[in-house]
């Protein structure tokens, strides 16, 4: 016996979730470009696009709830829907973090760069790579990969430490830099949160496959 | 003929049962264990086993219906038996109170103990077994008598010497029917709605003093509202009784039971126990692919 229509709907919510992930990944990338290149138009675009991210998240949520109500899913079906629901929320929040970075870019538009952006760029690079791999792991139901991705979160945490200390030094040396340095700590913090939410996606993949809810990486922050 | 000796059980406390259940549950292995293979969730422990089945096999004539079922049913818990038609779940249920013996040509091997006593031992009276282990069927089957007489029937047959009015009222209250019928207990049981008739049958079963209620698809002839009422009742009754329910409705098994056993017939047609575990585990993350296929509707 098969459940063709239900299977198609299950596939659909996962495809929609991956589409949402692509939107968010692009938002992270663009927000960093807006910041590092001072591209204000792009920053505005990221902020505007976040409304679409939110909209898609609610569409996915509604579809998941509809499937629960109409199909009474159990076992792997139930775990799939529960995972998609959780991941959609995490992705939407990651979108908010990207929007936050875009807003910082706008706030700093008339200021000369305070420091090299290498540290935060590196954080963004790792976070985006983690995000893409976590979604691959989800698609492939690859728990080994999901678990290994979480270890990379430590790199992001370490970079966050470095950037944070660098900014603290700048603030102590020159109080006039406090405001701009604070804005940049927000950027670093948002990137750290994004990487942290990737570990949530990995946890959902493990739950989906193994039925166990476990914390894969206890973030330093 | 021997009466079933229940003294030892009556003195046990619920705490003792739970402690022993927890100890035993941690010792369980997947294969050959009587209890569910996985440990129950923190909220529900297996408790004391009331029934223990060892290598139970059953035949209707030459046709095998159950093969080598080994499991235990815990006291004061709701255990659901699920599986496709012909998987032997109703046969298994009827083995628990010797109901199958009423069919000619049947054969049983293995062991069924209830309160540690072999209910198929030669000195055990099957009528006494059925008094202690009540049963409710798919279709409500009240006698064509008054509500009062339906409930009092079994007690009268057994020569009950207590206060019959009190017994009838208590049984109807336990079955959550009293308030709806108290003004006219002389009304025919057949004049009640389907859901009320089923609760009347439950009251009738309770009146003879069982400690187990076996339910064979008790809601399949009822509308959704009457079904939910019976399910609520099941959750109330399990405080005082052990309930084993056969159901085709997986949502119902998920709603009412503490433990779920999934059965499936093999190529020989004999039903086997495939998976047995805490209900929330079986329905969210079953161990066996065959369980997964069945409960997600991708079976066969």
């Amino acid at each position: 016996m098969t459940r063709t229509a239900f299977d198609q709907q299950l596939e659909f919510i996962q495809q929609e979730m991956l589409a949402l992930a692509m939107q968010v990944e692009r938002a992270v990338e663009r927000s960093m470009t807006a910041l590092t290149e001072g591209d204000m138009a792009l920053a505005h675009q990221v902020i505007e696009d976040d409304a679409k991210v939110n909209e898609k998240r609610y569409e996915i949520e509604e579809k998941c709830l509809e499937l629960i109500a109409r199909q009474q899913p159990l076992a792997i079906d139930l775990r799939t829907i529960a995972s998609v629901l959780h991941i959609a929320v995490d992705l939407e929040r990651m979108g908010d973090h990207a929007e936050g970075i875009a807003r910082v870019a706008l706030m700093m538009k008339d200021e000369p760069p305070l420091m090299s952006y290498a540290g935060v760029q590196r954080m963004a690079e790792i976070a985006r790579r983690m995000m893409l791999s976590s979604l691959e792991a989800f698609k492939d139901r690859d728990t080994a990969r999901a678990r290994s991705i979480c270890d990379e979160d430590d790199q992001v945490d370490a970079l966050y430490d470095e950037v944070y200390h660098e900014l603290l030094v700048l603030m102590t040396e020159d109080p006039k830099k406090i405001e701009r340095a604070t804005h940049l700590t927000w950027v670093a913090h948002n990137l750290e949160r994004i990487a942290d939410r990737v570990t949530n996606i990995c946890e959902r993949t493990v739950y989906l496959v193994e039925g166990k809810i476990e914390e894969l990486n206890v973030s330093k922050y | 003929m021997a009466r079933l000796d229940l003294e030892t059980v009556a003195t046990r406390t619920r705490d003792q049962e739970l402690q022993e259940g927890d100890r035993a549950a941690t010792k369980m292995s997947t294969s050959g264990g009587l209890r569910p293979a996985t440990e129950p969730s923190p909220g529900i422990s297996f408790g004391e086993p009331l029934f223990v089945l060892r290598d139970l096999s059953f035949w209707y004539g030459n046709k095998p219906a159950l093969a080598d079922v080994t499991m235990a049913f815990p006291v004061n818990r709701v255990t659901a038996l699920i599986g496709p038609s012909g998987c032997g779940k109703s046969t298994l249920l009827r083995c628990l109170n010797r109901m199958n013996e009423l069919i000619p040509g049947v054969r049983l091997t293995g062991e069924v103990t209830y309160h540690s006593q072999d209910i198929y031992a030669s000195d055990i009276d099957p009528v006494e077994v059925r008094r202690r282990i009540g049963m409710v069927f798919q279709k409500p089957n009240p006698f064509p008598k008054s509500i009062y007489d339906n409930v009092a029937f079994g007690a009268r047959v057994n020569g009950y010497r207590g206060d019959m009015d009190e017994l009838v009222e208590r049984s109807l209250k336990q079955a959550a029917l009293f308030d709806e019928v108290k003004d006219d207990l002389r009304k025919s049981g057949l004049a009640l709605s389907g859901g009320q008739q089923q609760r009347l049958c439950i009251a009738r079963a309770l009146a003879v003093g069982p400690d187990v209620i076996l339910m064979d698809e008790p809601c399949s002839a009822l509308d959704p509202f009457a079904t939910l009422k019976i399910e609520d009742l099941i959750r109330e009754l399990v405080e005082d009784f052990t309930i084993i329910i056969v159901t085709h409705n997986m949502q119902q098994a998920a709603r009412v039971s503490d433990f779920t056993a999934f059965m499936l017939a093999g190529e020989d047609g004999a039903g086997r126990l495939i998976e047995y575990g805490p209900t929330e585990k079986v329905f969210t993350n079953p161990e066996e692919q065959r369980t997964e296929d069945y409960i997600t509707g991708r079976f066969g």
Side-chain angles (χ1 to χ4, degrees), chain A residues 21 66 123-124 141 157 162 193:
Chain A
E66 185 198 325
M123 284 178 79
R141 309 293 194 253
D157 287 350
E162 278 175 32
R193 298 312 307 159

Side-chain angles (χ1 to χ4, degrees), chain B residues 14-170:
Chain B
R14 181 85 175 229
D15 279 350
Q16 280 175 316
E17 288 161 11
L18 297 186
Q19 281 169 12
E20 288 180 13
D22 288 342
R23 273 203 302 276
T26 55
K27 286 190 291 193
M28 286 307 296
S29 64
T30 308
S31 59
L34 296 169
R35 293 157 190 259
T38 45
E39 281 185 42
S41 66
I44 186 82
S45 66
F46 189 80
E48 175 79 3
L50 181 60
F51 286 99
V52 175
L53 281 53
R54 284 195 180 83
D55 300 319
L56 178 68
S57 296
F58 192 85
W59 291 263
Y60 293 106
N62 293 325
K63 199 178 157 291
L66 288 175
D68 304 320
V69 175
T70 293
M71 67 189 297
F73 291 98
V75 73
N76 288 108
R77 298 284 181 271
V78 180
T79 305
L81 298 174
I82 62 167
S85 296
C87 73
K89 53 193 188 299
S90 291
T91 300
L92 178 63
L93 194 73
R94 288 196 296 262
C95 286
L96 300 179
N97 68 346
R98 298 185 60 168
M99 213 65 166
N100 279 333
E101 290 179 357
L102 305 174
I103 304 164
V106 298
R107 187 159 62 91
L108 177 144
T109 63
E111 189 183 58
V112 178
T113 65
Y114 162 72
H115 290 295
S116 307
Q117 283 182 279
D118 180 357
I119 62 166
Y120 287 92
S122 55
D123 61 342
I124 295 286
D125 175 4
V127 174
E128 176 64 8
V129 168
R130 288 175 207 135
R131 189 184 74 73
R132 299 291 306 159
I133 306 165
M135 195 158 193
V136 175
F137 299 88
Q138 190 165 349
K139 203 164 163 277
N141 55 353
F143 302 130
K145 293 173 181 292
S146 71
I147 294 166
Y148 187 101
D149 288 341
N150 261 281
V151 180
F153 187 87
R156 282 186 184 137
V157 169
N158 292 336
Y160 183 69
R161 285 161 185 237
D163 180 343
M164 191 62 84
D165 289 353
E166 190 273 330
L167 176 71
V168 169
E169 180 173 332
R170 173 158 45 91

Side-chain angles (χ1 to χ4, degrees), chain B residues 14 44 75-81 93 135-137 173-177 195 198-199 201-203 206 211-220 222 225-249 251-259 279:
Chain B
R14 181 85 175 229
I44 186 82
V75 73
N76 288 108
R77 298 284 181 271
V78 180
T79 305
L81 298 174
L93 194 73
M135 195 158 193
V136 175
F137 299 88
K173 278 182 174 163
Q174 280 181 313
L177 184 60
Q198 195 62 304
R199 279 179 280 140
C201 294
I202 292 171
L206 297 176
D211 65 355
V212 184
I213 310 288
L214 306 178
M215 297 185 167
D216 194 354
E217 295 268 7
C219 301
S220 65
L222 304 183
F225 184 70
T227 296
L228 292 177
K229 209 148 191 187
I230 298 280
E231 289 179 5
D232 268 352
L233 175 59
I234 289 172
R235 291 313 314 177
E236 278 174 37
L237 289 174
V238 76
E239 296 291 320
D240 301 310
F241 301 90
T242 298
I243 294 175
I244 303 170
I245 178 171
V246 162
T247 176
H248 270 119
N249 180 338
Q251 306 300 336
Q252 177 167 76
R255 285 193 295 263
V256 302
S257 69
D258 301 306
F259 293 88
T279 294

Side-chain angles (χ1 to χ4, degrees), chain A residues 1 7 75-77 79 210, chain B residues 251 283-285 292 297-298:
Chain A
M1 196 169 86
D7 285 338
I76 184 73
D77 300 335
R79 300 204 306 277
E210 299 174 5
Chain B
Q251 306 300 336
F283 283 105
T284 60
N285 189 23
E292 177 100 42
R298 293 178 180 83

Side-chain angles (χ1 to χ4, degrees), chain A residues 71-72 89 109:
Chain A
Q71 301 282 354
Q72 287 100 45
V89 173
K109 63 180 172 183

Side-chain angles (χ1 to χ4, degrees), chain A residues 81-123:
Chain A
I81 296 172
S83 299
V84 169
L85 261 177
H86 275 278
I87 294 173
V89 173
D90 273 317
L91 288 170
E92 191 260 317
R93 292 294 293 142
M94 287 154 99
D96 291 342
H97 295 316
E99 187 199 350
I101 295 171
R103 289 193 184 278
V104 170
L106 288 180
M107 286 190 271
M108 298 181 76
K109 63 180 172 183
D110 300 322
E111 311 277 351
L114 188 63
M115 59 186 273
S116 154
Y117 287 125
V120 283
Q121 275 178 314
R122 181 85 188 112
M123 284 178 79

